[in-house]
Amino acid sequence: DAGVIQSPRHEVTEMGQEVTLRCKPISGHNSLFWYRQTMMRGLELLIYFNNNVPIDDSGMPEDRFSAKMPNASFSTLKIQPSEPRDSAVYFCASSLRTGDEKLFFGSGTQLSVL
Amino acid sequence: SQQGEEDPQALSIQEGENATMNCSYKTSINNLQWYRQNSGRGLVHLILIRSNEREKHSGRLRVTLDTSKKSSSLLITASRAADTASYFCATFSGSARQLTFGSGTQLTVLP
């Protein structure tokens, strides 16, 4: 099993540009999570999906952030327009079911907004 | 918001020594999990302990849970340089229906 796959590994963009982060969860996992990690705020849950349906997006910081899961094997996190304060490492994780099981994390996307 | 808070924030020990990290949390939980994060990598699950369990072992890892004190500890015995990483506790509560991570302990094991 290849694990959770995220792309790109690194993204450098200019303020105002659209950024799209991608995630492929582990096959057979029903829950998918997007986290953001910064030194100041630690690991924050942005949104999670169960069976491709968004369950809780209360962690999404602003309307500039949106996430989709069109099928069981793919999810995107989009930031439009991006701002320097969005610079962080964004992690995708999946689990067999919501929360009560261990999470499998991808390697993350290091986002730098200049 | 961060449910779990680890203590200490940073720990430096010699190879072969034991490392103990503590985690405190605020609300009732269904389970508590520990994760490791190597620099520049994603988090890796280490161990899960349920609210009705008091102690769990996995290899060189020993986790305890005290629900009355809302605290947990992670003990790594006979530490190795490869154990150098950040360690996070995470709590799952039925009411929140999500896993909430603490701020982490940075462990450095010196060869």
Side-chain angles (χ1 to χ4, degrees), chain B residues 26-66:
Chain B
K26 298 173 184 173
T27 62
S28 62
I29 62 172
N30 290 39
N31 69 61
L32 185 144
Q33 305 178 31
W34 285 91
Y35 289 78
R36 183 188 73 222
Q37 183 180 31
N38 290 86
S39 181
R41 307 298 297 271
L43 282 75
V44 175
H45 181 268
L46 295 176
I47 196 165
L48 181 154
I49 186 166
R50 300 198 182 277
S51 60
N52 61 353
E53 298 175 308
R54 291 297 168 257
E55 188 172 310
K56 210 162 183 180
H57 296 255
S58 177
R60 294 184 296 113
L61 305 180
R62 173 178 170 253
V63 170
T64 61
L65 178 64
D66 187 335

Side-chain angles (χ1 to χ4, degrees), chain B residues 85-98:
Chain B
S86 291
Y87 291 81
F88 295 87
C89 70
T91 54
F92 177 78
S93 67
S95 57
R97 300 298 302 170
Q98 62 175 261

Side-chain angles (χ1 to χ4, degrees), chain A residues 25 29-34 46-58 67-75 97-98, chain B residues 97:
Chain A
H29 281 192
N30 294 326
S31 296
L32 183 140
F33 306 79
W34 283 100
L46 301 178
I47 185 171
Y48 75 90
F49 296 82
N50 198 37
N51 294 320
N52 311 339
V53 176
I55 302 300
D56 184 353
D57 65 354
S58 60
K68 294 181 180 179
M69 192 164 186
N71 57 62
S73 59
F74 184 66
S75 177
R97 58 177 186 265
T98 306
Chain B
R97 300 298 302 170

Side-chain angles (χ1 to χ4, degrees), chain A residues 34-50:
Chain A
W34 283 100
Y35 283 88
R36 178 172 67 177
Q37 186 177 38
T38 61
M39 289 294 291
M40 291 296 295
R41 300 174 68 87
L43 268 163
E44 302 173 278
L45 177 65
L46 301 178
I47 185 171
Y48 75 90
F49 296 82
N50 198 37

